[in-house]
Amino acid sequence: MSRIVAIDYGRKRTGIAVSDPMQLIANGLTTVPTRDLLTFIGEYLAKEPVEKIIVGLPKQMNNEMSENMKYIEPFVRSLKKRFPDMPVEYVDERFTSVLAHRTMLEAGLKKKDRQNKALVDEISATIILQTYLESNRLY
């Protein structure tokens, strides 16, 4: 089997997570400057078999799209244009930042480490991917 990549897109930096080849567990991969994101994805796809890319869908509590969608849509169009054979799906990303902070707190990270926004983005991408994996698991 091949991996699934998840993206927590941000204007400055983007968190990236990847599944194991059996698509059971999400792992944080890295955080990259958003300006380098398409290059990073291209390099990763050249090294690893990837089945699809999951992108966090920024929704508000009333189920409407958040303002960040105006940045994500052009990125997804560029992603599909550059990698036309790669399926791209959205997954609701509400609460991922809150869950990421809670995860860091429960893991016992020091306050300075919990303020590391790059780590928050990577953990958020991991939560997005794990949510996707669990909702699509065939038992």
Side-chain angles (χ1 to χ4, degrees), residues 108-123:
L109 279 116
K110 295 177 183 162
K111 184 176 182 179
K112 185 176 182 183
D113 293 329
R114 292 193 313 262
Q115 292 171 337
N116 178 348
K117 292 180 180 178
L119 183 57
V120 172
D121 292 340
E122 184 178 327
I123 293 171

Side-chain angles (χ1 to χ4, degrees), residues 35-72:
R35 68 181 179 275
D36 301 332
L37 183 56
L38 286 172
T39 300
F40 177 87
I41 291 170
E43 291 169 356
Y44 188 81
L45 294 178
K47 292 186 297 188
E48 293 287 339
V50 174
E51 182 176 312
K52 71 177 64 168
I53 297 174
I54 305 300
V55 178
L57 182 64
K59 286 187 169 185
Q60 299 176 27
M61 292 306 297
N62 64 3
N63 218 25
E64 291 181 10
M65 296 300 158
S66 80
E67 179 137 344
N68 282 342
M69 196 61 184
K70 70 181 179 185
Y71 304 107
I72 294 173

Side-chain angles (χ1 to χ4, degrees), residues 45 76-88:
L45 294 178
V76 170
R77 280 195 299 273
S78 296
L79 185 65
K80 288 179 177 181
K81 185 176 181 181
R82 185 150 174 200
F83 310 105
D85 296 330
M86 180 61 60
V88 178

